[in-house]
């Protein structure tokens, strides 16, 4: 395979031709979409648009074939054992809500415990809180080490309390740290817990292998994998998906309905009530097919080169407080300018057309532990270049200069 | 520190901003110059001591918090303000808002079009709803003061 050519890769994103002045480093929030994805969506609406699974007509059959092909693309990308283990939903948030709601009274009974970690995104905290409170389920939280990584010693101790469910992120959306998920799943399984992985940031870093990882659930959003917004995936092992009470009820998900009794359809439809995001699924599938033309090892190398340059450059700027470690980092760097509010830093970067996010990044419990009011977050993607890195560094330098003048 | 003291310290600063700094911002050569002034404004305004930052004074932005104190002098029917923010640029922008309205009577405050004035100063983009800086929240908080 030829070496990774970042210019060739980047050229497929019309966005960068439209907005050549911008350096986009907000990839952890959402990524840009390659032409292949935009074309797939447009083509679906222009040529095949119909509802799925219901019409007797040929157009509906065609749409259904495309939609089910998308399921199959996702299933083979993450190496799920069965197609019905891929549930389409609107995103990671929806998937986590479905899991938290769905496990109550099937797997989780009053008085049971679940285990989360200190660095979770609110999407992997609040749904659990909401349902655990109502059902009398206790939440334990794994603390972090001084390096802001999950404390595995404490993790094992908390597992000894016998949580029924353990849910954690693959990669921290604030710090970029890659968690030792395989080890964490192994330990949780040994303790008899159902395992949930929030793969919102993990999915774009590495092609996860469900059969190897052996987790019970893995969730992600399409828009953080070069795909459209409004589509996401809830992967679950068959027997675990059977435990989920549907959070949404309506059409498609039933077998028969009467006012005396309604029986549910089989998987995956039981968990996909209503008309799905057909174009979204097709767009996500196009993103995956397109991405598979590239060698992920080379992409990881390219991103770690960007990261290395960035870290190197940061050492030359005075007063930078870096929260992320460069070790086992997927390409996200949270930082502050000493004693300056991140909102000021982000605003000055914005003036220089550097798009970064600032604030607490939907991870308030993490920030209370970091003892900082927030941070700016530079998140890199495969289409970012060394030029982007350098422009961001220059802009940061200028920012520090203005702030400390 | 009391509200009277803060008001007394804030008043001349707001006056100075109005008489001197507004023109500087309008005439700034480049964005850097404009931001330098904005940040100076933030620095010039006396800070509200932590103890006085009661929850009801909080004006929430997405990314940073600000606090507004208001005093209505019933004898003269004039409104005076004190403010603080965690973020310096936001504080500077809010200081500009305040200097425009500080000392206004209830009727004047009600009728005053802050957005229009911000537009004249080429600062309108900062007032857009989509920005998380809390300036729109501050505008409505100021407006509430004349109710
Ligand atoms: C770790 C993590 N979990 C969950 C989410 C929620 O994803 P979405 O907003 O696409 O549902 C995000 C998005 O920022 C995330 O980074």
């Amino acid at each position: 395979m030829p070496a990774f050519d970042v210019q060739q890769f980047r050229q497929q994103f019309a966005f960068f031709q439209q907005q050549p002045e911008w350096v986009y480093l907000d990839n952890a929030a959402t990524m840009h979409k390659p032409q292949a994805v935009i074309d797939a969506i447009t083509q679906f609406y222009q040529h095949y648009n119909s509802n799925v699974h219901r019409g007797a007509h040929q157009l509906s059959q065609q749409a259904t074939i495309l939609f089910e092909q998308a399921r199959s693309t996702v299933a083979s990308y993450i190496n799920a054992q069965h197609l019905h283990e891929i549930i389409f939903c609107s995103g990671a948030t929806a998937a986590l809500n479905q899991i938290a709601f769905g496990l109550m009274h099937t797997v989780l009974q009053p008085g049971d415990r679940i285990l989360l970690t200190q660095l979770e995104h609110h999407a992997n905290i609040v749904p659990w809180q909401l349902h655990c409170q109502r059902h009398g389920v206790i939440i334990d939280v794994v603390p972090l080490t001084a390096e802001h990584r999950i404390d595995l010693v404490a993790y094992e101790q908390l597992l000894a309390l016998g949580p029924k469910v353990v849910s954690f992120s693959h990669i921290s959306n604030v710090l970029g740290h890659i968690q030792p998920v395989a080890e964490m799943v192994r330990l949780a399984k040994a303790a008899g817990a159902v395992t949930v992985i929030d793969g919102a940031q993990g999915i774009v870093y590495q092609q996860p292998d469900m059969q190897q990882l052996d987790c019970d659930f893995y969730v992600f959003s399409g828009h953080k994998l070069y795909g459209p917004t409004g589509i996401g995936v809830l992967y679950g092992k068959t027997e675990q998906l059977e435990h989920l009470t549907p959070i949404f009820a309506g059409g498609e998900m039933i077998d028969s309905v009467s006012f005396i009794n309604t029986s549910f359809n089989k998987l995956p439809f039981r968990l996909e009530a209503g008309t799905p995001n057909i174009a979204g699924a097709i767009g996500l599938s196009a993103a995956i097919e397109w991405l598979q033309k590239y060698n992920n090892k080379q992409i990881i190398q390219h991103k770690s080169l960007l990261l290395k340059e960035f870290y190197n450059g940061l050492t030359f700027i005075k007063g930078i407080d870096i929260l992320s470690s460069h070790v086992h980092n997927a390409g996200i760097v949270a930082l502050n300018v000493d004693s300056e509010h991140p909102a000021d830093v982000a605003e000055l970067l914005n003036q220089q057309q550097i798009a970064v996010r600032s604030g607490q990044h939907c991870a308030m419990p993490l920030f209370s532990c970091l003892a900082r009011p927030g941070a700016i977050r530079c998140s890199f993607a495969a289409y970012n270049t060394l030029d982007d890195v350098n422009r961001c560094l220059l802009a940061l330098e200028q920012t520090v200069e203005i702030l400390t003048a | 520190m009391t509200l009277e003291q803060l008001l007394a310290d804030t008043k001349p600063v707001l006056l100075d901003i109005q008489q001197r700094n507004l023109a500087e911002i309008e005439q700034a050569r480049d964005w850097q110059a404009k931001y330098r002034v904005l940040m100076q404004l933030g620095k010039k305004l006396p800070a509200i001591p932590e103890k006085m930052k009661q929850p009801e004074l909080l004006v929430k932005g997405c990314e940073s918090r600000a606090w507004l104190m208001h005093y209505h002098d019933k004898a003269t029917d004039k409104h005076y303000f004190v403010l603080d923010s965690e973020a310096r640029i936001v504080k500077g922008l809010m200081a500009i808002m305040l200097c425009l309205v500080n000392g206004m009577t209830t009727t004047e405050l009600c009728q005053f079009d802050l957005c229009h004035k911000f537009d004249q100063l080429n600062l309108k983009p900062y007032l857009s709803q989509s920005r998380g800086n809390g300036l729109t929240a501050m505008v409505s908080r100021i407006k509430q003061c004349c109710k």
Side-chain angles (χ1 to χ4, degrees), chain A residues 207-263:
Chain A
Q207 186 176 351
D209 182 324
M210 289 306 119
Q211 295 184 53
Q212 200 176 25
L213 197 53
D214 203 30
C215 55
D216 294 307
F217 294 104
Y218 190 99
V219 309
F220 62 92
S221 300
H223 69 101
K224 298 189 204 265
L225 185 65
Y226 304 100
T229 47
I231 187 77
V233 171
L234 188 181
Y235 157 84
K237 282 188 184 166
T238 308
E239 69 269 30
Q240 298 300 342
L241 287 174
E242 296 291 4
H243 286 143
L244 294 183
T245 309
I247 191 168
F248 291 122
E252 280 304 320
M253 54 85 72
I254 41 80
D255 185 28
S256 73
V257 176
S258 77
F259 280 101
I260 309 296
N261 188 30
T262 291
S263 66

Side-chain angles (χ1 to χ4, degrees), chain A residues 240-313:
Chain A
Q240 298 300 342
L241 287 174
E242 296 291 4
H243 286 143
L244 294 183
T245 309
I247 191 168
F248 291 122
E252 280 304 320
M253 54 85 72
I254 41 80
D255 185 28
S256 73
V257 176
S258 77
F259 280 101
I260 309 296
N261 188 30
T262 291
S263 66
F264 292 139
N265 201 343
K266 59 186 192 322
L267 288 170
F269 312 114
R270 191 171 71 84
L271 296 170
E272 290 181 352
T275 299
N277 182 350
I278 308 165
I282 290 167
L284 172 58
S285 158
I288 291 174
E289 280 172 355
W290 168 83
L291 188 59
Q292 283 183 297
K293 292 198 210 132
Y294 296 88
N295 178 336
N296 195 47
K297 276 211 186 84
Q298 294 179 346
I299 287 183
I300 289 180
Q301 270 171 12
H302 170 69
K303 278 173 67 179
S304 49
L305 178 71
L306 298 180
L307 213 56
K308 197 169 146 216
E309 282 293 305
F310 189 58
Y311 269 94
N312 187 35

Side-chain angles (χ1 to χ4, degrees), chain A residues 340-341 344 347 351 398, chain B residues 32 35 63 88-89 131:
Chain A
E340 299 296 341
H341 197 279
D344 287 326
E347 176 55 27
Q351 281 300 315
Q398 168 98 108
Chain B
Q32 289 97 327
Y35 275 79
E63 298 179 344
R88 283 156 66 186
I89 296 169
R131 311 271 305 225

Side-chain angles (χ1 to χ4, degrees), chain A residues 85-390:
Chain A
E85 294 180 329
I86 303 300
I87 310 294
F88 282 122
C89 58
S90 68
T93 302
L96 288 164
N97 273 278
Q98 166 64 76
I99 296 170
F101 174 88
L103 290 174
M104 295 294 153
H105 286 305
T106 58
V107 167
L108 288 164
Q109 307 299 339
D112 283 348
R113 313 184 85 88
I114 68 158
L115 188 53
L116 305 175
T117 89
Q118 185 81 35
L119 52 67
E120 297 311 309
H121 187 282
H122 295 165
N124 195 24
I125 300 175
V126 189
W128 295 109
Q129 248 172 4
L130 194 68
H131 299 301
C132 287
Q133 266 164 14
R134 286 172 48 197
H135 296 272
V137 174
I138 301 151
I139 301 176
D140 294 310
V141 182
V142 187
L144 305 184
T145 63
E147 290 82 42
H148 315 323
R149 288 179 191 273
I150 291 174
D151 182 339
L152 289 178
V153 177
Y155 177 60
E156 283 198 69
Q157 286 164 353
L158 288 164
L159 281 177
L161 297 179
K164 291 273 177 66
V165 177
V166 178
S167 185
F168 48 83
S169 52
H170 190 166
I171 288 167
S172 155
N173 68 306
V174 176
L175 301 166
H177 296 169
I178 304 162
Q179 319 297 350
V181 282
E183 175 71 356
M184 289 175 74
V185 168
R186 195 183 62 74
L187 291 167
K189 289 202 107 62
V194 170
T195 48
V196 183
I197 300 183
D198 173 358
Q201 299 295 337
I203 191 71
V204 71
Y205 180 68
Q206 216 167 25
Q207 186 176 351
D209 182 324
M210 289 306 119
Q211 295 184 53
Q212 200 176 25
L213 197 53
D214 203 30
C215 55
D216 294 307
F217 294 104
Y218 190 99
V219 309
F220 62 92
S221 300
H223 69 101
K224 298 189 204 265
L225 185 65
Y226 304 100
T229 47
I231 187 77
V233 171
L234 188 181
Y235 157 84
K237 282 188 184 166
T238 308
E239 69 269 30
Q240 298 300 342
L241 287 174
E242 296 291 4
H243 286 143
L244 294 183
T245 309
I247 191 168
F248 291 122
E252 280 304 320
M253 54 85 72
I254 41 80
D255 185 28
S256 73
V257 176
S258 77
F259 280 101
I260 309 296
N261 188 30
T262 291
S263 66
F264 292 139
N265 201 343
K266 59 186 192 322
L267 288 170
F269 312 114
R270 191 171 71 84
L271 296 170
E272 290 181 352
T275 299
N277 182 350
I278 308 165
I282 290 167
L284 172 58
S285 158
I288 291 174
E289 280 172 355
W290 168 83
L291 188 59
Q292 283 183 297
K293 292 198 210 132
Y294 296 88
N295 178 336
N296 195 47
K297 276 211 186 84
Q298 294 179 346
I299 287 183
I300 289 180
Q301 270 171 12
H302 170 69
K303 278 173 67 179
S304 49
L305 178 71
L306 298 180
L307 213 56
K308 197 169 146 216
E309 282 293 305
F310 189 58
Y311 269 94
N312 187 35
L314 287 176
T315 59
F316 294 98
I317 307 175
K318 267 200 250 55
I320 300 280
D321 170 29
I322 307 173
L323 307 182
S324 306
S325 156
H326 66 281
V327 189
H328 299 306
N329 187 316
I332 301 177
V333 184
L335 57 86
N336 276 308
V337 174
D338 276 343
S339 67
E340 299 296 341
H341 197 279
D344 287 326
V345 180
E347 176 55 27
L348 292 173
L349 290 175
N350 176 49
Q351 281 300 315
Q352 299 169 83
Q353 294 179 301
I354 312 287
V356 299
R357 196 173 160 197
S358 86
Q360 302 203 345
H361 315 283
C362 301
M364 287 188 187
L366 171 62
F367 276 93
S368 73
C369 159
L370 294 173
R372 311 253 194 332
I376 69 153
R377 176 182 72 181
C378 305
S379 50
F380 297 89
Y383 45 61
N384 286 124
T385 61
L386 282 174
D387 187 51
D388 288 341
V389 171
N390 289 326

